[in-house]
Amino acid sequence: MDERAVRQKVRDLWARDALASLSEFVTIPALSPAFDGDWRESGHLHAAVRHVRSWFERRPIEGATVEVVELEGRTPVLLLDVPARSATNADTVVVYGHLDKQPAAGEWSPGLGPWTPVVKDERLYGRGAGDDGYAGYAASAALEALHAADGRHARTVVLLETGEESGSPDLAAYLDHLAGKLGKVGLVICLDTSGFDYERLWLATSLRGIAFLDLTVRVLTSGVHSGHGSGLVPSSFRILRELLDRIEDPRTGQIKLPELVVDIPGERIEEARIGAAEGFLAPSLPVVSGVRSTTDDPVELVLNNTWRTTLSVTGAEGLPSLADAGNVLRPYTSLKLSFRLPPTADASAALGAIEKALTTDVPFGAKVEIERAEAAAGWNATPRAPWLESTLDEVSAEVFGKPWRAVGLGGTIPFLGLFGRAYPEAQFVVTGPRGPGNNAHVADEWLHLEQTERVTEAVARILHAHATA
């Protein structure tokens, strides 16, 4: 393969057709179903699919077929299926992205808007440019560049869903529906994550799972004057504090339930050490002056954010505003509890342990109610094969000029867990061109164009290496 030809083709495609078409994609307000309950009637998701489908159909990629799959009652999926080219590897490659978008999310800066594409300072501004409209263009451009440079690749299927921003509720059904069509999948490339800079290739290697529930503690059928009732029955808030202390040490944050704790793999600890040594820590936060981190050890900070369970109270009811609060012993307190779980924790078992801790032997016989309890598993990448390790080293040196780095993700991305369970033996390359300040879910979202070209070139070279692995 002519690497220089790959690079030139990728640059030409992004400078001309790909950037122009992606800019048009930005104009489509293709909100995810969680934000547009009438998505079928509005037609925006289907318009986004049609737009990218048209781009795929115009690509001069030999043997490629394009198909829209839409199961009854579910959001559509767009597929670009490209047969193998001079490959000895019979496994299928799946390249993932999504076409649904987040809402506008407030006021954008002057001259910018969620549905108005603007190219400025080597950035493409607009909702969906970086999350995740670029993915389909990068995947097809990588394949087109390989064909132009006499490169190789195994059979490659680009799969673009339209429900990721809603938690990918339809993806499992599609992976099951397409299982026979896709065959044995040996490599999954997911183009929907970010890194800590725009100078190197970043790979996500794990992400935490999640469990959440609404917890209510009731002690009275109605509120009473605090002077009349306090001291006779405990406050609902006091009981809530005691229940939460069964799960988390309030001083150290240490989780007490064994179902919520795992042994952290040695390779993930080493990744945290490397990242911390180079100054790549947890995400920057708008910390109030004087507030300290949970630990002074940078490695422990990374592991806290990526491999340890954390509890956050994200909502409350039964508590009047300060201006409206009188001297009342309130009848109940409700809290929304959000647990970020370790990547390898059994999410169902963790949720069961949480519910048991909150409902067993409740102090003073108070009534405990749990509603809307759900859990989702995390994901931990399979060990990298030697061919992938060496390819990443080579691509990083020749395309980026800096070594690639791995990062754990503290959040939860359901599609990765779904792919991990569907293809447990596959190699995973989870990457993307997003980085600090790209504003994926807030105002002024933008895509770093030069980094997108480099990631596209990296994808092409990984596909080429996989073809004979």
Side-chain angles (χ1 to χ4, degrees), residues 172-250:
Y174 279 111
L175 293 180
D176 182 64
H177 176 74
L178 297 170
K181 179 182 183 69
L182 297 178
K184 182 184 177 183
V185 175
L187 173 63
V188 178
I189 300 176
C190 294
L191 297 175
D192 188 26
T193 57
S194 58
F196 284 100
D197 65 21
Y198 296 98
E199 299 176 1
R200 69 192 74 221
L201 183 67
W202 288 93
L203 267 64
T205 53
S206 67
L207 74 155
R208 289 190 289 183
I210 192 170
F212 54 89
L213 55 88
D214 296 345
L215 172 65
T216 298
V217 171
R218 297 184 185 275
V219 295
L220 299 170
T221 57
S222 62
V224 299
H225 192 291
S226 59
H228 175 72
S230 61
L232 301 180
V233 295
S235 75
S236 57
F237 197 88
R238 170 185 165 188
I239 294 173
L240 267 172
R241 287 189 300 167
E242 185 172 344
L243 292 176
L244 295 182
D245 287 354
R246 295 176 175 181
I247 299 173
E248 177 193 54
D249 185 317

Side-chain angles (χ1 to χ4, degrees), residues 57-345:
E57 290 176 337
R58 296 196 304 271
R59 306 329 307 155
I61 303 175
E62 182 180 357
T65 59
V66 183
E67 178 184 7
V68 177
V69 181
E70 187 165 0
L71 298 176
E72 181 67 28
R74 299 189 183 275
T75 52
V77 165
L78 177 61
L79 301 177
L80 170 67
D81 193 337
V82 183
R85 178 184 172 90
S86 303
T88 57
N89 193 330
D91 292 349
T92 299
V93 179
V94 173
V95 184
Y96 168 89
H98 68 88
L99 300 175
D100 56 315
K101 306 180 184 183
Q102 288 274 331
E107 292 295 322
W108 288 48
S109 296
L112 302 178
W115 323 120
T116 303
V118 174
V119 177
K120 178 182 178 182
D121 300 327
E122 288 301 310
R123 301 173 177 182
L124 171 61
Y125 287 86
R127 179 63 82 228
D131 188 18
D132 190 43
Y134 77 88
Y137 294 92
S140 60
L143 288 162
E144 192 169 337
L146 280 178
H147 284 227
D150 199 27
R152 305 180 181 187
H153 62 79
R155 180 196 175 200
T156 301
V157 178
V158 181
L159 186 157
L160 305 179
E161 68 158 318
T162 55
E164 193 275 340
E165 300 293 4
S166 302
S168 299
D170 299 331
L171 184 58
Y174 279 111
L175 293 180
D176 182 64
H177 176 74
L178 297 170
K181 179 182 183 69
L182 297 178
K184 182 184 177 183
V185 175
L187 173 63
V188 178
I189 300 176
C190 294
L191 297 175
D192 188 26
T193 57
S194 58
F196 284 100
D197 65 21
Y198 296 98
E199 299 176 1
R200 69 192 74 221
L201 183 67
W202 288 93
L203 267 64
T205 53
S206 67
L207 74 155
R208 289 190 289 183
I210 192 170
F212 54 89
L213 55 88
D214 296 345
L215 172 65
T216 298
V217 171
R218 297 184 185 275
V219 295
L220 299 170
T221 57
S222 62
V224 299
H225 192 291
S226 59
H228 175 72
S230 61
L232 301 180
V233 295
S235 75
S236 57
F237 197 88
R238 170 185 165 188
I239 294 173
L240 267 172
R241 287 189 300 167
E242 185 172 344
L243 292 176
L244 295 182
D245 287 354
R246 295 176 175 181
I247 299 173
E248 177 193 54
D249 185 317
R251 296 186 69 253
T252 66
Q254 182 175 352
I255 297 298
K256 300 177 180 180
L257 304 182
E259 293 86 352
L260 279 65
V261 180
V262 303
D263 292 329
I264 305 175
E267 62 267 29
R268 301 297 175 247
I269 295 176
E270 182 61 22
E271 290 171 358
R273 286 174 179 162
I274 293 173
E278 297 181 347
F280 300 118
L281 304 177
S284 297
L285 302 176
V287 178
V288 172
S289 177
V291 173
R292 299 188 302 274
S293 299
T294 55
T295 175
D296 293 329
D297 186 332
V299 176
E300 290 301 303
L301 278 178
V302 173
L303 297 176
N304 284 349
N305 185 243
T306 57
W307 273 90
R308 296 192 176 110
T309 295
T310 55
L311 165 61
S312 300
V313 176
T314 60
E317 287 184 355
L319 294 163
S321 67
L322 296 180
D324 296 331
N327 295 317
V328 176
L329 181 64
R330 297 175 296 100
Y332 75 95
T333 305
S334 297
L335 299 179
K336 166 73 76 174
L337 305 182
S338 175
F339 296 84
R340 293 294 177 173
L341 304 175
T344 55

Side-chain angles (χ1 to χ4, degrees), residues 388-404:
L388 180 55
E389 192 85 23
S390 61
T391 300
L392 291 172
D393 291 342
E394 181 180 301
V395 166
S396 293
E398 298 179 6
V399 178
F400 295 84
K402 291 190 175 182
W404 62 276

